Amino acid sequence: MREVLAQAAFQLFLERGFERTTVDDIVARAGVGRRSFFRYFPSKEDAVFPDHERCLAEMTEFLAAVDGSDPVGAVCDAARIVLRMYAANPEFSVQRYRLTREVPGLRTYELSVVRRYEQTLAGHLRGRFGEGGDGELRAEVIAASVVAAHNNGLRLWLRSGGAGDPEVAVDHALALVREVWGRRPAGRAGALSPEGEGGLPGGSVSGPAATLPVPNPPAAASSADALPVSGDGEVIVMVARKGTPMWRVVQQIEAVVGEN
């Protein structure tokens, strides 16, 4: 029933537009009552993302089972679970991406979903690096890096209309994250330190950051700096105050890389 409702909702969103489709329209198309809809989805926004709860549960289960010897590698592998979910149904994934770009409310909802993935990854890393001091900071920064890298590669594939293998771009982006964060710091456990000691190239970071590998990005705005990490790509590093809403962080990053 959940799948039937999601399919009916999405067909109507494409036919009539998201704003012009009501829950009554969806249940009429699915041939069920309103009560059935709200048993599975709290809102029509949730019907656009019917697979994320299952994917989040799978990610949580995966991280609980890893041995902990390579925490950065583990969260990178966990991110690939999300990629496989998108790749399993390319047509739906591309249509949803386009719909989300057109509807501001869906974009906001999507950011809340992304934040839940990021919190799951950060929670796993805090269990390895420690809850206090630089350990907690390191967990937050690495989790943000993994999410941003994964999303960069995924969106390249979605913008292409689902052509080719999405794993190529995502694997490249996640490899940059592992290259930067995969080394253990030389100082105290969980500390952020210069390149060669497990930290970002060029020095330490004093606050929570989100890093996004992008090919040939434009000049950085005042809130972010572009730091070369390889011959064919760069990293945008954004430093924000603790407690800054995730949507604001993403908004500022997108302003730098020129993404709509």
Side-chain angles (χ1 to χ4, degrees):
M1 180 58 65
R2 182 182 180 87
E3 183 177 347
V4 168
L5 285 164
Q7 289 178 349
F10 205 78
Q11 288 170 358
L12 287 167
F13 296 154
L14 294 177
E15 292 171 11
R16 304 180 185 180
F18 179 80
E19 300 295 345
R20 297 169 66 180
T21 300
T22 67
V23 172
D24 288 333
D25 294 331
I26 296 170
V27 297
R29 175 67 64 91
V32 299
R34 285 174 59 89
R35 185 174 300 178
S36 295
F37 179 87
F38 289 111
R39 184 179 299 125
Y40 293 98
F41 302 111
S43 68
K44 65 177 184 178
E45 285 83 0
D46 291 277
V48 180
F49 304 93
D51 39 13
H52 281 293
E53 289 296 332
R54 174 188 55 79
C55 190
L56 187 64
E58 186 177 348
M59 175 186 285
T60 303
E61 183 179 357
F62 170 82
L63 290 172
V66 297
D67 60 16
S69 60
D70 180 12
V72 177
V75 292
C76 287
D77 289 341
R80 291 186 176 91
I81 295 173
V82 184
L83 175 65
R84 289 196 294 270
M85 176 194 73
Y86 278 87
N89 193 342
E91 182 178 1
F92 174 76
S93 296
V94 171
Q95 289 177 335
R96 175 167 60 185
Y97 175 75
R98 292 171 178 168
L99 180 65
T100 303
R101 304 277 71 74
E102 297 171 358
V103 182
L106 289 179
R107 178 60 176 156
T108 301
Y109 185 95
E110 184 183 49
L111 291 176
S112 71
V113 174
V114 171
R115 179 57 179 163
R116 292 180 66 193
Y117 284 119
E118 185 176 321
Q119 288 175 327
T120 300
L121 299 179
H124 175 78
L125 292 169
R126 281 195 297 271
R128 300 300 184 271
F129 300 149
E131 292 285 346
D134 286 347
E136 184 170 359
L137 172 60
R138 185 177 177 84
E140 293 287 345
V141 173
I142 294 175
S145 301
V146 170
V147 169
H150 168 274
N151 288 350
N152 178 255
L154 175 62
R155 287 169 184 165
L156 288 174
W157 177 69
L158 291 171
R159 291 191 199 105
S160 74
D165 185 356
E167 292 191 21
V168 175
V170 172
D171 284 348
H172 173 70
L174 291 176
L176 292 179
V177 175
R178 296 192 69 170
E179 178 183 350
V180 172
W181 293 112
R183 300 180 295 273
R184 295 183 60 86
R188 63 186 182 280
L192 297 175
S193 53
E195 185 177 7
E197 298 179 351
L200 283 172
S204 61
V205 176
S206 59
T211 66
L212 176 59
V214 294
N216 303 319
S222 59
S223 60
D225 297 312
L227 302 179
V229 296
S230 68
D232 57 357
E234 290 183 336
V235 170
I236 298 299
V237 179
M238 187 203 153
V239 181
R241 290 183 179 276
K242 185 175 182 180
T244 300
M246 188 61 191
W247 67 268
R248 176 67 69 184
V249 174
V250 174
Q251 183 184 63
Q252 293 185 10
I253 293 174
E254 289 182 344
V256 172
V257 301
E259 176 181 338
N260 293 325

